[in-house]
Amino acid sequence: MDAHSAATTAQTKGRPLSLDVSWVLAPLLALPGVASGVVLSRDGLILGGSAGLSVEAGERSAAMTSSVLGAARALCAGLGSAADGEVVDIVISTGAGYTYIAPAGERAAIVVSATGGVNIGSLAYEVQLQVQKLIKALDEASAARTPGVRA
């Protein structure tokens, strides 16, 4: 079972996800140098993943990304450098490339792994475009599950 299949069986508050958001990764994975990605809930559950990513790797990535985002928010708040308290993105540079993390509202985040040859500016731009689409999709899905609420 790959991470995409795991997304369709993941649980949120005891209910199966009615929305697989792996599609949000497709434009990012098309960028030269981008190797894999995961979409996760803010509490670290997989909402979608790139093809070929194992369930274990996806779950581990989602959990660690959730922790990194929490640590970044705490760090910024502690240093007083985040007036609104929200982290926009995190770029981790390694000898092998980059890990790019972007929160998507209060409910989700996107994380992608890329080689050192990726154009990091293009990646950042494309991730932020996908973040906006993901926020909209999650808002619509939430409204559809809540009687009387429209997105």
Side-chain angles (χ1 to χ4, degrees), residues 39-56:
V39 183
L40 60 134
S41 66
R42 289 295 278 264
D43 57 358
L45 299 175
I46 296 175
L47 300 178
S50 55
L53 189 68
S54 73
V55 172
E56 294 80 17

Side-chain angles (χ1 to χ4, degrees), residues 46-143:
I46 296 175
L47 300 178
S50 55
L53 189 68
S54 73
V55 172
E56 294 80 17
E59 288 174 345
R60 188 172 41 254
S61 297
M64 294 308 296
T65 299
S66 179
S67 295
V68 167
L69 281 168
R73 286 191 299 272
L75 173 64
C76 292
L79 292 174
S81 61
D84 63 3
E86 190 56 41
V87 173
V88 175
D89 60 9
I90 299 168
V91 180
I92 301 170
S93 176
T94 70
Y98 301 95
T99 299
Y100 189 95
I101 302 168
E106 292 298 315
R107 291 178 280 188
I110 296 173
V111 59
V112 293
S113 175
T115 67
V118 73
N119 179 325
I120 196 71
S122 293
L123 177 60
Y125 175 77
E126 292 296 331
V127 167
Q128 292 306 320
L129 288 178
Q130 294 309 107
V131 159
Q132 295 308 309
K133 291 176 184 179
L134 178 58
I135 290 169
K136 182 177 180 193
L138 293 174
D139 286 348
E140 289 171 356
S142 179

